[in-house]
Amino acid sequence: MRIELVKRPQRSALFSMLSPFIALGLTLVAGAALFLALGKNPGEALYYYFVDPLHETWSLHELAVKAAPLILIAVGLSVCFRSNNWNIGAEGQFIIGAMAGSILPVMFPDFQSWVVLPLMLLLGVAGGAAYASIPAVLKARFNTSEILTSLMLVYVAQLFLDWMVRGPWRNPAGFNFPETRTFHAFATLPEIWPASGRAHWGFIFALLAALVLWFVMTRTLKGFEIRLLGQSPRAGRFAGFSREKMVLFSFLVSGGLAGLAGICEVSGAIGQLRPIISPGYGFTAIIIAFLGRLNPLGIVAAGLVLALTYLGGEAAQISVGLSDKVARVFQGMILFFVLACDTLIHYRIRLVAEPAVRGEGARADV
Amino acid sequence: MDSTGDAAAEPLLEVRGLSKIFGTLKACDSIDLEIRRGEIHALLGENGAGKSTLVKMLFGALEPTAGTIRWKGQEVAIRSPGEARRLGIGMVFQHFSLFDALTAAENIILSLDDPAPVSAVAARARELSRAYGLPLDPQAHVGDLSVGERQRIEIIRCLLQDPELIILDEPTSVLTPQEADKLFDTLETLRSEGRSILYISHRLEEVKRLCDRATVLRGGRVVGHSDPRRETAASLARMMVGGDVPVVVRDKPAATREALLEVRGLNRKAGHPFAVSLSEIELTVHAGEILGVAGVAGNGQGELFEAISGEALQESADTVRICGHAAGRHDITGRRLMGAAFVPEERLGHAAAPFMTLTQNLLLSRYRTDARAFLGRLGIIRNAVVASAAKRVSTAMDVRKGSEDPEATALSGGNLQKFVIGRELDRQPRVLVVNQPTWGVDAGAAARIRQALVDLAKGGSAVLVISQDLDELFEICDAIAVMHGGRLSTPVPIAEATYEKIGLLMGGARPEATSGLPLEETV
Ligand SMILES: Nc1ncnc2c1ncn2[C@@H]1O[C@H](COP(=O)(O)OP(=O)(O)OP(=O)(O)O)[C@@H](O)[C@H]1O
Ligand SMILES: [Mg+2]
């Protein structure tokens, strides 16, 4: 008995659209089974996980805090993925953006003026974009695999941050804790509505970025170029578009937005640099980009859903006593089900009864 | 194949009421078809008549909307190409699916349902190639092979499954006349063994010569059956089109000596192991002139096209001149702005993006030349304007389509070809370079495309036509040059050109060697 994937003659337009919802539904079912296996009441656990965090104003603010970096990164990635460039290193660009933006408040704490914050944001964008340009140039010039180079640069960025925070940038008045000094008031991204909760301007930037990119992708020549080169490189070349320039462009956009997310997170939510400033936003954003169908508006919705898994993880830990790793499990399941649904839209599963004795090895090579 | 009495009487394949609906379009409308054992059955019809759709359903690559298929009297549902192969149906697609970097034998193995060792497959392939007169070296790398040889791999790979019905979708459109003759011998051998062949072609002469019966489709319906041997090419064409096929009218335009396209000393190294390098190409096309480039596919035509179009740049700016401008260092957009337009050979994937609509595909080659009309501030696309231009092109070229603005891949091959040519003609370019203008296009549409090229030249443009189809070149060109091994012969004026002379050049004869022919004057 072996399983084969047979290409479907036609894919259903209806199911392509429904696929993210089916995937979410399946995730809930699998999650319930998981809770049951852990000996928890699945109804209660799911309630604390997915509904409870939406009840109170302050926790809605928390949702926006979590969603801001996720959406910012994911809309940038959607440009990359649409143009068939695979930037897997947004996590690293997030970190370098955060560090570049932190130069002013950490190294020049006495420079206090209203220009500090805009400069920090610009430096954050520049830092993320510059870091993303490394795999981009390597791909455009030497045809290296951007998947590997961008991913490996994540670890470089993480270790660099760790070293800086423990070494040169450590807070001189911080009792040797691995942290930088806390940012002064001019270097702090303000809250949107301080009276009711923590949500900062990063969330507004995320919505703006999604709107702008949605417009660019659907209405302008640039968006046409991005989609054309991604779908059909040869036709793109015939149209007179350059693949190399697109590699650079898409990495700069996604790196810049990841960098902006980084500096917003540090200056809006955390208030200082620490050895770890992201619970894997850069990787979760990949899931969001696909769950949102690489459509910037879809990504806003998907970003909110995934932000909920982070919050729910925390809530479930407190109320039901689940490990905080459950959030990771949920994110993994969502990605798994999204990819599975997408595969089944294109392929049908066929069970082949007769044992393929002959040349089993050859099949493995193929 | 055992053909006992009643089994022989019963048709091998019987199709009743087979329909395929795409959205609102009935691509195949309740088709009845019968294929007997041991016959070569032609499937004819205009572009978009539904031929490919029908055979894709028979091969399990498309799902029928309605209707039944009976195979040897048994009703069957063919849900995938694998199932079709298991039943005994083989198919050779028009566009091959072979991997350049692998050998012939390895390519064959990839398609087998039950993998076998390379040596066994190679031996079996050799056996078949001898038996059917299909010379093939199983160890050869596909990238090094000509189109004809590649097709042989596809045929052998299909024969390995010992099929009783073989479907060929436009097999000869890419072959030279000599290669086509060899293919016909093979098909006749197959028929004599009692196998059946379903044969799609737009070349009516060969259908007359080869086929026992013909079914003609028009607009997705069967409009008639006939015995092609009793018909003439013209009467078959009338049956397909439902009217007379127009004749291309060509009256001599006033000769001007203004050179609009000039190529001087073009050399190009092969970019990859399977490309042809170009050496010392010289050509000039004047205003009002059509220059033909004949040659067997794979002799550097694709590379020449890329060099002239600017998809590949030259080292020196003067190597290519367009309308008097040095274009060698300009990319394809720059050359378009100088007044040139280009139509590559491969329509799906090169000339057009498969999953983009016709409107978007119009923008693809014209966003710069028509920027003022098509783009607003900030590069915002004026969709309504582009869409109406696409509509204008579709009307002018009579592009038949199922919906207002379908994706390129939903058009039949010939209709997409009409669109990508019309897209450039609509600009009235000063220079047009087109590679295989009527590949897989039906007789009526081919005449329309050729007429359009002639009319463009008459209006004072220079046209360079690269084509394998000698009839076509003789019909429209002022002079014909031949491409062989990456070199281009001196053009032969049409008055002095004969099929023999061009054929010899295509076979690789150096112009000097063909002494005795009046060609020497032009050398
Ligand atoms: N996937 C598809 N979606 C929608 N319409 C389609 C699709 N494939 C084909 N069609 C439509 O079905 C009709 C028949 O197409 P088909 O490819 O069978 O024509 P054909 O007879 O093979 O023509 P040609 O000689 O040009 O290859 C065309 O009008 C085409 O636009
Ligand atoms: Mg066809």
Side-chain angles (χ1 to χ4, degrees):
Chain A
M1 188 79 128
R2 69 174 192 266
I3 298 174
E4 272 184 2
L5 285 180
V6 183
K7 194 154 181 135
R8 284 179 199 272
Q10 266 150 330
R11 67 197 148 89
S12 147
L14 176 69
F15 276 98
S16 307
M17 222 177 62
L18 287 182
S19 139
F21 300 99
I22 298 175
L24 287 177
L26 288 170
T27 306
L28 289 184
V29 173
L34 184 82
F35 291 140
L36 204 62
L38 288 172
K40 313 281 178 198
N41 176 347
E44 188 193 1
L46 283 179
Y47 174 83
Y48 279 114
Y49 208 106
F50 287 107
V51 185
D52 195 45
L54 299 176
H55 267 169
E56 287 175 66
T57 324
W58 71 266
S59 60
L60 285 178
H61 274 264
E62 290 304 308
L63 192 69
V65 170
K66 290 273 189 287
L70 291 172
I71 295 173
L72 268 176
I73 302 171
V75 289
L77 288 182
S78 75
V79 170
C80 248
F81 296 165
R82 279 245 182 237
S83 67
N84 206 8
N85 289 303
W86 300 94
N87 179 4
I88 308 298
E91 181 82 1
Q93 294 139 25
F94 176 94
I95 292 171
I96 298 296
M99 291 176 72
S102 303
I103 290 174
L104 286 183
V106 172
M107 297 179 68
F108 309 98
D110 299 328
F111 174 39
Q112 303 210 357
S113 137
W114 64 267
V115 293
V116 171
L117 188 62
L119 280 178
M120 285 168 64
L121 295 178
L122 284 180
L123 280 171
V125 171
Y131 204 56
S133 71
I134 302 172
V137 169
L138 288 176
K139 177 176 181 182
R141 284 296 298 272
F142 305 108
N143 249 328
T144 51
S145 159
E146 74 277 26
I147 299 181
L148 290 180
T149 49
S150 65
L151 178 62
M152 290 192 294
L153 284 170
V154 171
Y155 306 115
V156 175
Q158 285 172 338
L159 292 172
F160 182 54
L161 170 65
D162 193 89
W163 176 72
M164 286 297 275
V165 173
R166 289 172 202 279
W169 278 7
R170 191 176 53 205
N171 185 357
F175 309 105
N176 264 343
F177 277 113
E179 304 170 339
T180 62
R181 59 178 95 233
T182 45
F183 293 2
H184 54 78
F186 284 111
T188 304
L189 197 60
E191 279 114 24
I192 303 170
W193 191 11
S196 68
R198 285 201 323 136
H200 54 76
W201 273 76
F203 189 64
I204 306 279
F205 295 154
L207 295 183
L208 279 178
L211 268 180
V212 169
L213 281 181
W214 172 79
F215 187 80
V216 168
M217 290 303 289
T218 52
R219 295 292 153 85
T220 68
L221 188 65
K222 194 73 200 171
F224 176 71
E225 176 183 348
I226 293 167
R227 282 177 293 139
L228 180 61
L229 280 169
Q231 278 186 17
S232 191
R234 188 121 183 267
R237 198 173 47 143
F238 179 70
F241 296 131
S242 150
R243 182 194 81 112
E244 285 73 27
K245 282 189 195 143
M246 181 51 65
V247 172
L248 214 58
F249 174 83
S250 65
F251 267 83
L252 289 182
V253 168
S254 65
L257 285 173
L260 179 63
I263 187 58
C264 287
E265 178 74 7
V266 184
S267 111
I270 306 178
Q272 64 182 171
L273 281 178
R274 295 181 188 151
I276 290 177
I277 53 173
S278 154
Y281 287 141
F283 295 113
T284 308
I286 298 173
I287 306 179
I288 296 173
F290 281 102
L291 192 64
R293 311 261 89 176
L294 299 184
N295 174 335
L297 300 186
I299 285 171
V300 172
L304 289 169
V305 171
L306 267 285
L308 187 59
T309 62
Y310 278 114
L311 279 194
E314 286 165 17
Q317 191 180 4
I318 297 163
S319 344
V320 203
L322 287 166
S323 153
D324 63 342
K325 295 281 183 294
V326 168
R328 282 307 180 81
V329 174
F330 263 103
Q331 293 172 4
M333 285 196 297
I334 291 182
L335 182 64
F336 173 81
F337 283 120
V338 168
L339 294 180
C341 287
D342 282 356
T343 305
L344 289 179
I345 286 171
H346 291 281
Y347 297 90
R348 181 172 61 213
I349 293 182
R350 197 167 68 107
L351 295 176
V352 183
E354 91 269 13
V357 184
R358 269 192 310 145
E360 198 105 66
R363 165 75 55 175
D365 293 352
V366 173
Chain B
M1 239 152 295
D2 61 325
S3 40
T4 49
D6 47 332
E10 157 195 280
L12 179 65
L13 180 89
E14 196 183 347
V15 169
R16 288 277 164 260
L18 203 63
S19 298
K20 177 74 201 178
I21 300 178
F22 292 114
T24 56
L25 173 88
K26 281 195 172 167
C28 285
D29 187 358
S30 179
I31 289 187
D32 295 340
L33 177 72
E34 233 171 61
I35 295 174
R36 300 184 194 136
R37 284 171 200 266
E39 73 168 351
I40 302 185
H41 194 116
L43 192 57
L44 306 177
E46 301 177 272
N47 294 129
K51 306 178 296 293
S52 297
T53 306
L54 174 61
V55 296
K56 278 184 198 157
M57 289 192 286
L58 298 182
F59 193 59
L62 273 182
E63 214 170 333
T65 314
T68 55
I69 302 174
R70 287 173 169 275
W71 176 252
K72 299 178 183 170
Q74 292 276 311
E75 187 167 333
V76 289
I78 306 172
R79 305 217 299 154
S80 71
E83 276 176 43
R85 275 195 292 267
R86 269 187 293 278
L87 284 177
I89 302 176
M91 178 154 169
V92 176
F93 288 93
Q94 182 178 2
H95 300 282
F96 309 144
S97 44
L98 298 172
F99 293 98
D100 280 357
L102 300 182
T103 64
E106 287 164 342
N107 265 292
I108 292 174
I109 289 175
L110 279 181
S111 73
L112 297 182
D113 289 328
D114 300 302
V118 183
S119 56
V121 171
R124 183 92 184 89
R126 252 196 215 99
E127 216 173 280
L128 284 169
S129 88
R130 244 193 320 273
Y132 292 101
L134 295 164
L136 176 77
D137 172 10
Q139 306 312 339
H141 281 271
V142 168
D144 301 332
L145 300 179
S146 75
V147 192
E149 288 168 311
R150 289 177 199 217
Q151 188 179 56
R152 275 177 232 151
I153 302 179
E154 291 269 359
I155 295 177
I156 286 179
R157 139 161 137 174
C158 163
L159 290 178
L160 267 179
Q161 316 263 354
D162 194 23
E164 289 169 73
L165 171 65
I166 301 162
I167 303 171
L168 299 158
D169 195 349
E170 299 190 31
T172 51
S173 54
V174 290
L175 299 186
T176 61
Q178 294 83 344
E179 285 174 323
D181 281 339
K182 280 206 196 104
L183 174 69
F184 298 154
D185 291 342
T186 306
L187 296 185
E188 273 161 11
T189 315
L190 289 169
R191 166 169 60 189
S192 68
E193 291 176 341
R195 298 178 207 266
S196 312
I197 294 165
L198 184 58
Y199 190 86
I200 300 181
S201 175
H202 288 294
R203 298 194 175 169
L204 301 174
E205 290 296 345
E206 67 189 34
V207 167
K208 253 177 74 56
R209 175 177 148 193
L210 191 68
C211 300
D212 305 297
R213 291 202 301 150
T215 297
V216 182
L217 299 184
R218 195 190 314 143
R221 289 172 159 277
V222 175
V223 291
H225 299 277
S226 73
D227 177 352
R229 301 217 163 92
R230 296 222 198 99
E231 305 277 342
T232 63
S235 70
L236 282 173
R238 253 198 311 279
M239 206 161 161
M240 284 164 47
V241 185
D244 275 313
V245 176
V247 195
V248 177
V249 190
R250 171 128 177 82
D251 38 29
K252 198 86 200 96
T256 68
R257 299 322 281 166
E258 188 194 351
L260 292 185
L261 175 64
E262 292 167 277
V263 177
R264 294 282 160 266
L266 168 64
N267 291 296
R268 186 176 169 208
K269 276 210 226 30
H272 56 92
F274 312 122
V276 178
S277 51
L278 301 177
S279 51
E280 291 302 319
I281 305 260
E282 305 267 333
L283 65 84
T284 307
V285 194
H286 298 98
E289 192 177 36
I290 302 183
L291 175 65
V293 173
V296 178
N299 270 290
Q301 291 95 328
E303 287 81 0
L304 175 66
F305 178 87
E306 281 184 346
I308 298 182
S309 73
E311 285 170 279
L313 298 186
Q314 284 74 51
E315 267 162 26
S316 134
D318 278 327
T319 309
V320 174
R321 299 184 72 86
I322 292 170
C323 300
H325 305 285
R329 301 297 304 157
H330 283 80
D331 70 354
I332 188 164
T333 307
R335 296 183 194 197
R336 283 188 179 122
L337 288 172
M338 292 172 184
F342 310 95
V343 182
E345 164 181 40
E346 215 176 312
R347 48 199 166 221
L348 210 54
H350 191 179
F355 298 105
M356 290 202 163
T357 63
L358 291 188
T359 301
Q360 291 168 329
N361 271 303
L362 182 96
L363 194 65
L364 188 151
S365 75
R366 293 181 47 183
Y367 64 92
R368 270 309 291 281
T369 51
D370 297 60
R372 208 169 291 156
F374 290 169
L375 298 180
R377 264 182 306 134
L378 298 172
I380 294 171
I381 299 166
R382 294 202 178 119
N383 271 316
V385 181
V386 188
S388 76
K391 202 165 165 191
R392 187 170 68 226
V393 169
S394 296
T395 315
M397 297 302 289
D398 185 27
V399 177
R400 317 249 174 104
K401 49 194 188 194
S403 56
E404 182 61 31
D405 194 17
E407 290 180 350
T409 172
L411 245 54
S412 83
N415 278 306
L416 183 58
Q417 182 70 20
K418 290 191 251 175
F419 183 82
V420 297
I421 293 209
R423 171 177 77 184
E424 308 305 328
L425 289 175
D426 184 60
R427 258 179 64 201
Q428 290 293 321
R430 290 283 276 151
V431 173
L432 178 67
V433 181
V434 40
N435 194 358
Q436 312 294 357
T438 58
W439 230 50
V441 171
D442 70 49
R448 181 173 297 112
I449 289 177
R450 288 173 194 152
Q451 186 68 55
L453 296 180
V454 167
D455 292 344
L456 183 72
K458 199 162 122 195
S461 299
V463 181
L464 181 69
V465 179
I466 305 173
S467 175
Q468 277 204 78
D469 185 342
L470 282 188
D471 295 331
E472 167 167 280
L473 294 178
F474 275 91
E475 193 175 352
I476 62 175
C477 293
D478 297 296
I480 300 176
V482 175
M483 189 109 203
H484 184 264
R487 295 174 170 275
L488 190 70
S489 78
T490 321
V492 184
I494 198 72
E496 297 162 23
T498 60
Y499 280 77
E500 289 69 41
K501 196 188 290 180
I502 301 296
L504 274 174
L505 288 170
M506 283 169 70
R510 302 293 306 271
E512 298 83 22
T514 61
S515 56
L517 297 170
L519 188 73
E520 281 176 330
E521 306 161 20
T522 56
V523 172

